[in-house]
Amino acid sequence: RRGQLARPPNKSATMVGSSPHPDENTPCSRPESREARRIVQTHIVTLSEEAGHGELAPSCPLSPHNDVLAAHEAAKRRLSGAVWKCGLCGKQFRSERHLDLHMHRKHADASPAGATSCLADECDLLRCPSWVKRLGDAAAACTEGALAVRREHCAALMHSCAFGPLFAQLEHEYCANLTCSYRQQLIAGHIDAHP
């Protein structure tokens, strides 16, 4: 339904240590979605453009066309320091968090029609910084079976976003690393989340 940010819970993400969205009134974590969006833009879109594919296809769940919060993020303006302005109605706020709450309450209809992706749900695949910080707490609960489900989801996700050598590269960089041993290396600091 147009304008609603709610979507079915991502049970497989929760099983492997992804946190529930911290604000009960906001079904999609805006801070984690910002982290995921940054990774998608700086890494996945860049690789797609370098491979000659251009932007991500509208059918790709990581595409801005499917991002339930992309329109809100595009309408935010930082004026100075901690002062933020809503580009949709002009109201000013003392923090980005308050602007986020305003966007959720007053401008839910600004989401693109058909947008269904909460990028925060993919933080375990994209290795968002906040997810990596929480990883140590979830390490004991890591199960290869749950990660196998996430690897399958990841491969399907990347397949909908890329093809050919680019798909193989994305699948190798993001999906193949969905293992408990890789997570243990991340926790120990032996590898970087985004080399």
Side-chain angles (χ1 to χ4, degrees):
R1 286 173 272 167
R2 180 175 166 81
Q4 291 191 341
L5 300 181
R7 78 245 173 266
N10 185 342
K11 292 178 183 166
S12 57
T14 303
M15 291 190 315
V16 293
S18 198
S19 76
H21 304 294
D23 182 345
E24 294 174 15
N25 297 321
T26 306
C28 183
S29 169
R30 289 170 186 273
E32 289 183 16
S33 289
R34 276 191 282 277
E35 290 178 3
R37 193 175 299 105
R38 203 170 302 123
I39 293 165
V40 168
Q41 288 300 315
T42 60
H43 191 249
I44 296 174
V45 171
T46 300
L47 288 174
S48 180
E49 289 172 347
E50 288 173 357
H53 301 295
E55 294 183 3
L56 298 176
S59 61
C60 172
L62 302 176
S63 166
H65 301 283
N66 293 311
D67 181 352
V68 296
L69 299 176
H72 286 178
E73 291 299 308
K76 291 164 56 173
R77 306 287 180 263
R78 186 179 206 148
L79 299 179
S80 64
V83 179
W84 290 81
K85 181 179 180 178
C86 175
L88 299 173
C89 69
K91 190 169 180 179
Q92 292 185 16
F93 299 87
R94 293 184 187 190
S95 72
E96 186 176 20
R97 184 179 185 321
H98 287 108
L99 175 54
D100 285 343
L101 291 170
H102 165 78
M103 290 286 200
H104 175 71
R105 281 189 234 123
K106 302 294 184 183
H107 302 297
D109 61 341
S111 295
T116 58
S117 293
C118 172
L119 296 184
D121 287 344
E122 308 304 345
C123 271
D124 62 319
L125 308 180
L126 299 171
R127 299 183 299 273
C128 296
S130 61
W131 177 84
V132 172
K133 282 183 185 177
R134 288 191 314 275
L135 188 57
D137 299 336
C142 187
T143 62
E144 291 297 340
L147 288 175
V149 171
R150 289 304 280 167
R151 274 193 305 277
E152 287 178 27
H153 168 75
C154 182
L157 177 79
M158 295 306 172
H159 191 272
S160 69
C161 297
F163 55 90
L166 178 60
F167 164 72
Q169 182 179 0
L170 293 174
E171 199 233 0
H172 174 74
E173 288 184 29
Y174 290 99
C175 308
N177 292 327
L178 290 169
T179 65
C180 290
S181 62
Y182 181 84
R183 289 181 177 196
Q184 289 168 347
Q185 291 178 28
L186 268 177
I187 293 166
H190 297 303
I191 54 177
D192 290 328
H194 298 282

